[in-house]
Amino acid sequence: MSLFRALKKTCSLIKKSLFSRETTEAVRMEPTKINMSRVALVNGGIDGAMLKAHKPRVMSKSGHSNVRIDKVDGIYLLYLQDLWTTVIDMKWRYKLTLFAATFVMTWFLFGVIYYAIAFLHGDLEMNKFSPKREPCVKNVDSLTGAFLFSLESQTTIGYGFRFITEECPHAIFLLVAQLVITTLIEIFITGTFLAKIARPKKRAETIKFSHCAVITKHNGELCLVIRVANMRKSLLIQCQLSGKLLQTYETKEGERILLNQASVKFNVDSSSESPFLILPLTFYHILDESSPLRDLTPQNLKEKDFELVVLLNATVESTSAVCQSRTSYVPEEIHWGYEFVPVVSLSPNGKYVADFSQFEKIRRSTDSTFYSVDSEKQKLEEKYRQEDQRERELRTMLLQQSNV
């Protein structure tokens, strides 16, 4: 019976191994399904789609530029020539390090010079051999003492233990030069601190843009809509919102511009006047024949390759400083057939309330005609686009042949 059980166990193991091998081969032979309609026609297929998916943004959602300046000859010299802007643009950790290092270095540098004067005048051996001789600086007989005298003189502490005498005119001149030079350095550093703190950059961070944009109908027109809000009670005056469409463009001569900039005009309730940004507002861009986004459709929106940079320029009422807030939208962040949920309501005590928990929320458009698709119109537009593309390719080929 034990032999029979062993043979039976061996047969079951052989069956399991054969079954697992057949399953592995079946999995290997099964074809992978790829939706080619979602693959962009760049570099011949899937690689192009991967490149598009990982394409970096020119402007981040927080408004910071992602463009790197590279291979510029003498870039550090250019930064030193504009030292004021360079120091202001420094991060706070580097600025504080520079602030502390500047004081310590000037104290030590002038301390070394005082020590050298004392050494050349013979003040270091004076206490041992001729105590009645007058030194250049009293009680400076070491490098540490010279450093402390430099620190006390520059900071005007004046303990009275170390002081300069009339014995050495060049030491007196050095003291005057130290006070003048270090005062100018302190004025420069203090000015950069005040300029960095007073910059309207922090005020621009309290301007909030909606994370996504929507395409819906407004007053019977097809519009691209974004939402903007001022997060502080202090007003922003002379607000101007504009947009730049960044996309690849090919000229009639065949030149390919990687980031062509086209202006995108935004309005508030079909008005181009400066809005009163006290409550969250929705800005509209009409998708008409003059719009650079006129060829957008629900079918090709996600396949497009562009970036919409939105700029809001305003003047801060309290400081009269001009601030700019920025953001950007890519096709994946634009939703067709949606609209923003209202955020402004009237409270029972008669006050207007802006509910920012609804600021980012969107919903399907309530306009039923918005979803009716005119297939004949879309086919005709697609036909015109294809003919225009063929004419452009033919023109490019003829131009290349004429150059040859």
Side-chain angles (χ1 to χ4, degrees), residues 78-221:
L78 295 176
Y79 285 160
L80 290 177
Q81 289 177 353
D82 189 11
L83 189 60
W84 176 265
T85 307
T86 302
V87 176
I88 291 179
D89 289 340
M90 278 184 178
K91 295 182 178 180
W92 277 109
R93 53 180 178 268
Y94 301 134
K95 193 173 182 64
L96 293 174
T97 304
L98 177 65
F99 179 77
T102 302
F103 281 100
V104 174
M105 289 175 62
T106 53
W107 295 337
F108 182 76
L109 176 62
F110 285 99
V112 170
I113 299 176
Y114 285 122
Y115 180 76
I117 292 175
F119 176 78
L120 295 175
H121 191 257
D123 297 344
L124 302 181
E125 292 84 10
M126 189 177 296
N127 296 330
K128 298 179 181 179
F129 303 102
S130 56
K132 294 183 179 180
R133 185 181 176 185
E134 191 74 14
C136 291
V137 183
K138 279 282 188 179
N139 300 315
V140 173
D141 50 4
S142 64
L143 182 60
T144 304
F147 175 78
L148 291 175
F149 173 73
S150 175
L151 186 152
E152 294 167 11
S153 300
Q154 184 172 329
T155 56
T156 65
I157 294 176
Y159 289 125
F161 182 70
R162 298 178 181 86
F163 56 91
I164 201 165
T165 65
E166 300 176 358
E167 182 69 18
C168 302
H170 48 278
I172 299 175
F173 175 78
L174 178 63
L175 177 62
V176 174
Q178 179 185 4
L179 296 179
V180 172
I181 294 173
T182 54
T183 300
L184 294 176
I185 294 175
E186 290 176 10
I187 291 174
F188 178 81
I189 295 179
T190 306
T192 57
F193 263 87
L194 294 176
K196 189 175 181 64
I197 294 173
R199 282 193 307 174
K201 180 179 179 180
K202 295 299 180 182
R203 181 63 179 92
E205 292 179 359
T206 58
I207 300 173
K208 187 175 182 180
F209 291 91
S210 58
H211 186 271
C212 63
V214 297
I215 295 179
T216 185
K217 282 191 175 183
H218 177 70
N219 291 334
E221 299 283 349

